[in-house]
Amino acid sequence: MKFRHLVTASALLTLASAAAEEQDMLDFVDPLIGTSDGGHVFPGANLPFGMAKAVADVDKETQGGFASNDGLITGFSHMHDSGTGGGSSLGNFPLFPHTGCPDDELNKCTFMKGRRAVKRVEGSVEAKPGYFAVSMENSIRAEMTTTNHTALYRFTFPSNSTMKRQANALPYSPVILADLTDLSNSRTDGKIKVDQVTGRITGNGTFSPSFGIGTYELHFCADFKGAKVRDAGVWINNRAGNSTNYLVVAKDGNNSPPLPAGAYVQFHRPESDQILARVGVSFFSTDQACKNAEREIEDFDFARVREAAEKAWKSKLGVISVDNTGIDKSLQRLFWSGLYRSFISPQDYTGENPLWESDEPYFDSYYCIWDSFRSTHPLLTLMDPHAQALMVRSLLDIYKHEGKLPDCRMSLCKGFTQGGSNADNLLADSYLKGLKDGIDWDLAYEAVISDAEEQPPIWTVGGRGGLASWKKLGYIPTDDFDPVGAGLFTRSISRTIEYSYNDFCIAQMSRDMGKIGDAEKYLERSKNWLNMFDPESRSLVNTTGSRDVDHVDSGFKGFLQPRYLNGTFGYQPPTLCTFLNNFHGCYLNPNGHETYEGGSWLYTFYVPHDQATLIPTLGGPETFVDRLRYLHDTPGLLYVGNEQSYLLFFLFHFAGRPGLSSQYAHKYIPDRFNDTTGGIPGNDDSGAMGSFTSLTMMGLYPMSGQNVYLIIPPFFPEVNITNPQTGKTATIRSVNFDTAYENIYIQGAKLDGETYTKSWLTHKFFTEGGTLELTLGPQESTSWGAEDEDLPPSASTHFWEK
Ligand SMILES: *[C@@H]1O[C@H](CO)[C@@H](O)[C@H](O)[C@H]1NC(C)=O
Ligand SMILES: *[C@@H]1O[C@H](CO)[C@@H](O)[C@H](O)[C@H]1NC(C)=O
Ligand SMILES: *[C@@H]1O[C@H](CO)[C@@H](O)[C@H](O)[C@H]1NC(C)=O
Ligand SMILES: *[C@@H]1O[C@H](CO)[C@@H](O)[C@H](O)[C@H]1NC(C)=O
Ligand SMILES: *[C@@H]1O[C@H](CO)[C@@H](O)[C@H](O)[C@H]1NC(C)=O
Ligand SMILES: *[C@@H]1O[C@H](CO)[C@@H](O)[C@H](O)[C@H]1NC(C)=O
Ligand SMILES: *[C@@H]1O[C@H](CO)[C@@H](O)[C@H](O)[C@H]1NC(C)=O
Ligand SMILES: *[C@@H]1O[C@H](CO)[C@@H](O)[C@H](O)[C@H]1NC(C)=O
């Protein structure tokens, strides 16, 4: 489809602010959701897709920088990733403030991370879009806001009167130190310099990415305002001095942790008890870091920068409005916060990529596409198609210069591929939904064909492995002989099923580009998942929880199973890698089993493109529904904290039972997805959990990689989504909506006034606008979405339909 017209930037702003006047959605954003119990959310100050992400770093559960636990604050750093399941990303060059040093002796101050760390004041954290603040038990309150490449901190020191009340008050002469470190202590070499007159600190270092290979270099530039410089110098271990103003810490070849080192500035008493610290970052040079900071925050005006950040967030979120009449506040927080987190990453590093010269945009922190293709990118395609198009272009530029599309990428480095070459799905999704904005779709096609046909030497960080077997045998043998490249020879089942879907996504692109031969070829390859289906295999399930009673046969037959080069099937208990049986057994390491981060119970359903074949394969719609319910209802069998589980909430649609999808959505929201700090069942993975939650609450499940949205009733009586490019609004409205969620079953629907019985929509609804009116009731309807012609499409039944 084509966009009818483009709205101007100012029209868009009007649209956004009109929505914002009706309800201030920022009041419902709680960045602290997911900051404990493994969510790993970054809760600090940042702009949508901003490179600068400022927060207090703590020493426990450090992945998002800050966490809602009792960890000590070790500093304030300027770049982060959100929701990562790998190591801790970034957090380079933290600042740390002291009010003064005991006895006014510099060397009685603490410098090293482990020693200077201080408790937060309980209940003092304030987190808002574009703003983060926390008080520390050293009586300093730290606030922060950001522009695209610059963090601005405001440290408020205890005033004279507070200080006097303290028995062991420090002499009031603040020290702010900068540390050549990062969250994961990965620095090899580094350099730091302080201007002893102005107090400007510049520095750089070489660090490691958190879930990938190689290293990256980062630079920073810190300036201070609010107090006169008294003394400035460098520190190493716990000793500081001003006899030199620079320090070079090289790799000492000793394999020891990086030497604690940095620079400091000591100030005279700040006139207003506040010191502002402005820190610019750059991947190019300290010069560029300084220029970024000077250009973006010349005036050190904290209120102005914060306001600009709030405005940026409002305009991103303002394309959606909901009727919130009677809706529980905590559900509203859950909803808006999920949308908010979808705009944290990927991060816009355009103009900051030293790896190659290009006029194309450069986004980074695709962390990882395995996680984000399912809901984050489809949500961005709805809310900010321009940004999604820029991301697609940046992925293609990465392909052009590094040879393969990434599955995961962070800090300018190649990240680990978890399963298939899932950027193929992401590209197909954007292509089928009509994204243009300067995307070179021929190049995109070349990139996905390269994934499908050419195995790279290191397929752990791009492309696919086992391609020879894939082409010859039609599956990834569990004992594959693959001398072509290096990678982890695990996950043969999940790779097979993901490669099948990748090939299906490519087949659709081929079809729509008129490359019919390719379309036929990849459609055929998309059936490969069936080659690992062992119709005879069964699963014993420990449902009794008893040590003595033997596991009971689940009664369901036929699972995806390991399969060898010689064609025979092996056996991996389908419960393996669920909570019932070695939950951690399928991680990305050489001992991982044949299914990635989940069991065969889950993966056997993971055929997003051809449920019409899967359902009879599993015994027909009734058995299929029973089995899917058994998976959801048997405690411990389905873990919903990982992204492959999303599809399983909605597969009931394909069996003509869309009401059950709604039922399970309400089972998990808010029980497993809620607005508490521990309210994410797994890692947020760059907003994957957030985008999934919010889409579900809007009544939509995008079958990412296809032009298909499955429908359930939204959690609000009315939802408007305005496409910022066409200016058209799609409205989903429910008749008989009730806030107690008893009427959660669609009885009938009208699309723009016409009876609509399909349980799914295409993207056209969102680009061209319209009204979908759902009539709800307390019982599952036996007719709506139930007939064959109402079911969402499948490869085997609908592929050639246009
Ligand atoms: C941040 O960068 C984006 C992309 O270049 C730009 O559109 C936006 O205006 C910038 N935001 C601010 C507050 O400068
Ligand atoms: C703090 O005390 C010093 C010295 O007594 C004085 O010069 C300064 O103005 C006071 N600052 C404030 C904010 O009261
Ligand atoms: C740090 O900057 C200096 C120039 O000041 C440069 O020579 C050096 O290569 C840089 N180091 C890193 C790790 O970027
Ligand atoms: C260096 O430290 C000494 C002793 O503390 C101090 O007198 C001097 O002013 C400092 N010099 C600079 C440049 O900070
Ligand atoms: C949705 O948009 C329609 C018209 O475009 C408007 O009448 C309605 O009030 C909006 N609803 C919400 C929840 O914003
Ligand atoms: C069944 O699971 C429970 C925990 O859920 C475990 O304690 C018990 O040992 C298991 N039984 C068998 C036979 O493995
Ligand atoms: C096929 O290969 C597997 C794995 O090497 C082996 O266990 C099995 O016995 C072989 N089957 C036959 C029929 O040779
Ligand atoms: C919120 O979600 C978490 C994570 O899934 C869950 O452990 C917790 O029980 C839920 N809390 C509430 C109050 O529902």
Side-chain angles (χ1 to χ4, degrees):
M1 70 227 55
K2 297 206 164 35
F3 299 129
R4 292 236 189 85
H5 63 273
L6 298 179
V7 284
T8 60
S10 68
L12 186 57
L13 212 64
T14 317
L15 176 124
S17 51
E21 270 159 25
E22 288 159 23
Q23 53 188 126
D24 193 345
M25 80 283 289
L26 297 197
D27 289 344
F28 289 106
V29 174
D30 181 358
L32 293 169
I33 295 175
T35 53
S36 69
D37 304 282
H40 298 171
V41 163
F42 161 78
N46 70 149
L47 285 178
F49 314 125
M51 172 162 146
K53 299 197 187 292
V55 83
D57 293 321
V58 294
D59 62 1
K60 239 193 225 175
E61 223 183 333
T62 62
Q63 284 89 342
F66 184 80
S68 296
N69 55 27
D70 60 356
L72 304 179
I73 293 173
T74 56
F76 299 88
S77 70
H78 338 295
M79 288 175 67
H80 291 88
D81 271 314
S82 190
T84 75
S88 300
S89 258
L90 301 160
N92 324 67
F93 315 123
L95 299 183
F96 189 88
H98 289 292
T99 303
C101 301
D103 304 327
D104 205 22
E105 275 182 44
L106 186 63
N107 273 300
K108 288 191 175 170
C109 262
T110 49
F111 289 89
M112 293 161 68
K113 218 190 273 192
R115 294 203 196 172
R116 69 186 185 231
V118 62
K119 277 190 176 167
R120 74 198 74 179
V121 173
E122 208 53 54
S124 69
V125 172
E126 198 185 332
K128 296 271 170 204
Y131 178 79
F132 184 90
V134 62
S135 300
M136 298 183 283
E137 288 205 344
N138 64 6
S139 303
I140 300 171
R141 180 156 180 86
E143 298 167 280
M144 55 222 75
T145 184
T146 63
T147 52
N148 278 316
H149 310 91
T150 311
L152 185 62
Y153 300 90
R154 182 161 65 192
F155 297 114
T156 302
F157 296 90
S159 66
N160 284 0
S161 51
T162 4
M163 302 257 300
K164 271 186 209 136
R165 270 191 263 117
Q166 290 173 346
N168 55 348
L170 294 165
Y172 190 9
S173 179
V175 170
I176 298 181
L177 63 90
D179 189 342
L180 280 178
T181 187
D182 65 343
L183 284 172
S184 63
N185 297 319
S186 76
R187 190 202 75 228
T188 47
D189 45 27
K191 186 174 165 172
I192 200 161
K193 191 170 124 186
V194 58
D195 184 316
Q196 290 174 317
V197 177
T198 64
R200 167 174 280 190
I201 304 178
T202 51
N204 61 17
T206 306
F207 302 91
S208 301
S210 51
F211 191 64
I213 59 171
T215 59
Y216 67 95
E217 287 173 7
L218 188 68
H219 310 259
F220 81 104
C221 175
D223 288 294
F224 304 94
K225 195 178 167 182
K228 291 207 184 71
V229 174
R230 177 181 165 203
D231 178 19
V234 299
W235 60 272
I236 199 153
N237 290 318
N238 222 36
R239 285 284 157 265
N242 67 21
S243 59
T244 172
N245 75 332
Y246 76 94
L247 193 75
V248 180
V249 275
K251 211 173 2 187
D252 66 3
N254 214 352
N255 250 349
S256 51
L259 191 60
Y264 70 90
V265 183
Q266 184 162 33
F267 298 92
H268 291 288
R269 174 194 307 273
E271 271 158 33
S272 60
D273 294 320
Q274 289 186 331
I275 295 181
L276 288 153
R278 180 188 71 186
V279 185
V281 286
S282 170
F283 284 103
F284 269 105
S285 60
T286 51
D287 260 10
Q288 182 149 326
C290 295
K291 281 192 187 123
N292 284 343
E294 285 160 1
R295 190 182 61 248
E296 293 175 1
I297 314 187
E298 196 195 351
D299 55 5
F300 282 79
D301 186 339
F302 194 93
R304 180 190 65 76
V305 173
R306 182 180 175 183
E307 235 168 75
E310 280 173 356
K311 205 166 148 196
W313 279 109
K314 273 188 191 171
S315 99
K316 290 296 183 203
L317 302 187
V319 298
I320 286 178
S321 68
V322 294
D323 178 354
N324 59 357
T325 315
I327 304 296
D328 190 86
K329 286 255 181 357
S330 77
L331 283 177
Q332 295 189 58
R333 271 194 295 276
L334 179 63
F335 176 71
W336 288 109
S337 306
L339 295 179
Y340 164 83
R341 295 203 306 276
S342 311
F343 286 82
I344 295 179
S345 286
Q347 305 180 13
D348 188 354
Y349 293 178
T350 305
E352 286 294 339
N353 172 16
L355 301 178
W356 59 80
E357 269 181 44
S358 171
D359 294 329
E360 283 300 282
Y362 181 76
F363 281 72
D364 200 296
S365 288
Y366 294 92
Y367 205 152
C368 302
I369 291 175
W370 186 89
D371 305 281
S372 64
F373 88 84
R374 304 164 206 262
S375 53
T376 311
H377 289 282
L379 181 68
L380 293 178
T381 302
L382 283 177
M383 293 181 71
D384 194 353
H386 180 64
Q388 171 65 13
L390 297 179
M391 290 170 192
V392 166
R393 283 167 57 177
S394 90
L395 287 171
L396 297 180
D397 214 39
I398 292 167
Y399 161 72
K400 201 161 138 186
H401 291 91
E402 301 219 317
K404 284 289 177 195
L405 295 163
D407 182 57
C408 204
R409 188 174 178 89
M410 75 291 307
S411 315
L412 306 174
C413 293
K414 291 180 181 175
F416 298 122
T417 302
Q418 300 176 74
S421 50
N422 288 329
D424 306 345
N425 310 356
L426 185 158
L427 295 183
D429 196 71
S430 289
Y431 179 71
L432 296 166
K433 290 174 181 169
L435 260 55
K436 296 207 164 50
D437 273 342
I439 300 170
D440 181 347
W441 283 114
D442 291 334
L443 182 62
Y445 194 66
E446 182 190 310
V448 299
I449 295 294
S450 161
D451 278 340
E453 298 298 331
E454 289 157 46
Q455 182 164 326
I458 308 180
W459 52 268
T460 36
V461 293
R464 309 183 199 170
L467 274 181
S469 294
W470 184 247
K471 293 176 197 176
K472 185 158 155 256
L473 300 174
Y475 59 99
I476 300 298
T478 303
D479 59 345
D480 200 13
F481 174 65
D482 178 12
V484 178
L488 282 176
F489 282 64
T490 59
R491 302 157 292 140
S492 59
I493 294 173
S494 51
R495 280 165 54 214
T496 292
I497 201 149
E498 291 194 21
Y499 294 176
S500 299
Y501 190 55
N502 300 152
D503 279 342
F504 174 74
C505 288
I506 297 172
Q508 295 175 98
M509 289 178 75
S510 312
R511 178 196 63 201
D512 290 2
M513 288 179 177
K515 302 173 199 287
I516 301 305
D518 280 3
E520 283 166 349
K521 170 181 171 183
Y522 293 111
L523 180 64
E524 197 55 35
R525 276 173 41 169
S526 79
K527 298 174 186 162
N528 282 352
W529 61 274
L530 208 40
N531 294 331
M532 285 188 105
F533 182 78
D534 175 2
E536 297 309 318
S537 67
R538 309 189 72 98
S539 174
L540 298 175
V541 179
N542 175 0
T543 47
T544 61
S546 142
R547 198 170 288 276
D548 313 314
V549 181
D550 234 353
H551 296 178
V552 184
D553 187 289
S554 68
F556 298 102
K557 211 173 85 168
F559 289 87
L560 295 180
Q561 284 298 342
R563 193 169 188 193
Y564 302 110
L565 274 165
N566 61 16
T568 14
F569 281 105
Y571 183 74
Q572 174 179 307
T575 54
L576 189 71
C577 303
T578 71
F579 280 129
L580 299 180
N581 185 354
N582 191 7
F583 180 66
H584 301 292
C586 289
Y587 284 3
L588 202 60
N589 63 53
N591 302 320
H593 293 277
E594 303 313 318
T595 46
Y596 179 63
E597 291 193 353
S600 179
W601 263 101
L602 182 157
Y603 279 104
T604 299
F605 283 104
Y606 188 77
V607 189
H609 53 303
D610 203 2
Q611 292 290 311
T613 298
L614 179 71
I615 291 171
T617 302
L618 296 186
E622 257 174 61
T623 315
F624 175 87
V625 166
D626 286 350
R627 179 165 173 169
L628 195 49
R629 298 193 76 161
Y630 180 89
L631 172 55
H632 281 283
D633 296 343
T634 304
L637 199 51
L638 179 64
Y639 170 57
V640 296
N642 242 326
E643 286 74 9
Q644 342 84 317
S645 68
Y646 299 167
L647 179 68
L648 305 198
F649 289 41
F650 291 90
L651 284 182
F652 299 103
H653 273 69
F654 292 86
R657 303 284 302 274
L660 292 179
S661 301
S662 176
Q663 192 180 308
Y664 280 94
H666 284 275
K667 167 179 154 109
Y668 292 116
I669 299 175
D671 271 12
R672 305 293 294 144
F673 301 81
N674 54 57
D675 72 333
T676 65
T677 61
I680 304 181
N683 310 133
D684 196 36
D685 295 318
S686 298
M689 295 283 157
S691 51
F692 171 68
T693 309
S694 301
L695 279 162
T696 303
M697 293 179 79
M698 289 194 281
L700 299 170
Y701 182 72
M703 294 292 292
S704 181
Q706 304 173 46
N707 187 3
V708 172
Y709 297 84
L710 309 183
I711 315 165
I712 62 167
F715 285 47
F716 302 95
E718 183 167 296
V719 175
N720 279 355
I721 306 171
T722 300
N723 184 296
Q725 289 185 317
T726 62
K728 296 289 167 66
T729 297
T731 301
I732 306 176
R733 179 187 304 143
S734 293
V735 179
N736 300 334
F737 179 89
D738 74 313
T739 54
Y741 300 115
E742 272 158 22
N743 301 334
I744 55 165
Y745 301 103
I746 299 175
Q747 309 295 309
K750 283 191 169 159
L751 182 60
D752 296 326
E754 304 277 323
T755 299
Y756 194 75
T757 55
K758 289 184 179 4
S759 60
W760 59 286
L761 287 166
T762 67
H763 192 59
K764 187 174 153 193
F765 177 60
F766 301 102
T767 49
E768 299 192 355
T771 301
L772 178 68
E773 192 177 271
L774 308 172
T775 301
L776 309 185
Q779 304 284 322
E780 193 187 350
S781 159
T782 51
S783 60
W784 188 81
E787 302 302 324
D788 279 352
E789 61 269 24
D790 301 330
L791 304 182
S794 279
S796 55
T797 51
H798 295 70
F799 184 78
W800 297 107
E801 267 174 31
K802 251 325 227 163

